[in-house]
Amino acid sequence: ELLSCLGVARALLLRHAAEDPELGYCQGMNMVAALFAVAAQSQEEAFSRFRAFTRSLRGLWEPGFPLLQQGVCSFETLAAERPWFQHLSRNGVEPEMYLPRAWLGLFTSWLPLATRVLLLRSLEEGSLAMLLATSLAIMDHVGSELLEQGDDMDDLLKVLEGIKDKPPHPAALITARDAWLPVVSATTARRSGAHWCWKALRRDGSRVLDHRGEALFTQRKERRASLATAGRALLKFCFGDGRH
């Protein structure tokens, strides 16, 4: 069954690339296609839903990532008063380090397959607001663990990369997500058309590169080491001894 779903996912991506060469294939889409392949009852249903979803959130994968920019900046506004967000920010862990990978792969790095299948219909219907509300609920779930890590960037990144190992219960996640939705919807409506703050990602063919030119979709240990090294270098440059 798994091999069959992988075959369906590949067929979805090939058909998508043929029908929409301007957008084409971007890293992360394979995980999205695989989710629709698992959730749908037929290949045709899977493609119809996948096509509608990628069209509604097209800006997540377009060159320049305009919807991703909007979403990250809205996330910063919404999470600003959360202690876990303030703790991450004080230690140089910015949303650009964890949200793009989670969103481009539709929470593959954060949630188990069964939970993602359960959430898929709501994500299809709610577009950016639903992505934001789901992300904020997940981050609230790990917030206390983040606060327990102290000021070590490595430890904070380990918690973020290990969310999938200790995910929220689906029912609790849905309740928390629904509690976030009204304020998320109001915030995104107010910020529509605003100028977005952004540390750019860019596309290199199908690959997604961060502002240092490093691939967004890398192995956990490699990426964590790269981010931590960059953070320590920045602290040393600013404060001399690497501490603050």
Side-chain angles (χ1 to χ4, degrees):
E1 184 179 355
L2 178 59
L3 289 176
S4 174
C5 288
L6 291 175
V8 171
R10 182 174 183 275
L12 300 188
L13 293 169
L14 289 172
R15 185 172 170 185
H16 159 76
E19 291 191 6
D20 191 353
E22 182 181 356
L23 181 60
Y25 173 74
C26 178
Q27 281 184 311
M29 281 186 178
N30 59 322
M31 303 171 195
V32 181
L35 182 57
F36 280 100
V38 170
Q41 298 299 309
S42 68
Q43 182 170 318
E44 193 57 38
E45 178 197 340
F47 181 72
S48 176
R49 291 171 63 184
F50 175 73
R51 177 172 56 188
F53 184 76
T54 53
R55 284 180 177 176
S56 68
L57 292 176
R58 183 184 181 86
L60 278 183
W61 300 280
E62 281 182 331
F65 304 98
L67 192 61
L68 191 55
Q69 295 183 40
Q70 177 183 345
V72 168
C73 292
S74 293
F75 179 90
E76 291 176 340
T77 299
L78 290 158
E81 300 303 317
R82 285 299 206 251
W84 55 259
F85 181 80
Q86 295 169 1
H87 185 59
L88 289 173
S89 297
R90 281 195 303 271
N91 288 283
V93 182
E94 303 296 336
E96 292 90 344
M97 293 180 174
Y98 51 90
L99 283 183
R101 192 167 184 264
W103 288 0
L104 295 181
L106 205 54
F107 298 115
T108 297
S109 60
W110 281 3
L111 297 173
L113 177 61
T115 303
R116 287 182 285 124
V117 170
L118 182 64
L119 297 178
L120 185 55
R121 284 290 187 184
S122 60
L123 289 167
E124 290 176 79
E125 296 166 2
S127 55
L128 181 60
M130 193 64 72
L131 271 180
L132 281 162
T134 303
S135 302
L136 289 159
I138 294 169
M139 292 299 294
D140 280 344
H141 169 72
V142 297
S144 59
E145 188 175 358
L146 289 168
L147 292 170
E148 291 169 0
Q149 303 311 306
D151 295 329
D152 189 293
M153 178 184 276
D154 267 340
D155 291 340
L156 292 170
L157 291 171
K158 285 178 184 176
V159 172
L160 292 173
E161 292 173 352
I163 291 174
K164 193 171 184 175
D165 299 328
K166 294 185 286 185
H169 187 279
L173 175 56
I174 290 171
T175 298
R177 177 206 68 192
D178 290 349
W180 268 108
L181 268 176
V183 66
V184 169
S185 298
T187 299
T188 53
R190 285 197 306 270
R191 293 188 63 119
S192 179
H195 175 71
W196 306 111
C197 50
W198 185 243
K199 299 172 184 177
L201 297 179
R202 62 184 175 87
R203 281 184 58 172
D204 178 21
S206 65
R207 295 198 308 155
V208 182
L209 305 180
D210 65 18
H211 62 284
R212 295 179 305 278
E214 297 177 357
L216 185 68
F217 290 88
T218 58
Q219 293 298 316
R220 284 185 177 185
K221 290 182 180 179
E222 293 175 9
R223 181 154 185 82
R224 184 169 65 242
S226 174
L227 291 172
T229 299
R232 283 193 292 268
L234 178 61
L235 290 173
K236 186 174 182 180
F237 175 78
C238 294
F239 299 101
D241 64 353
R243 297 188 299 272
H244 65 302

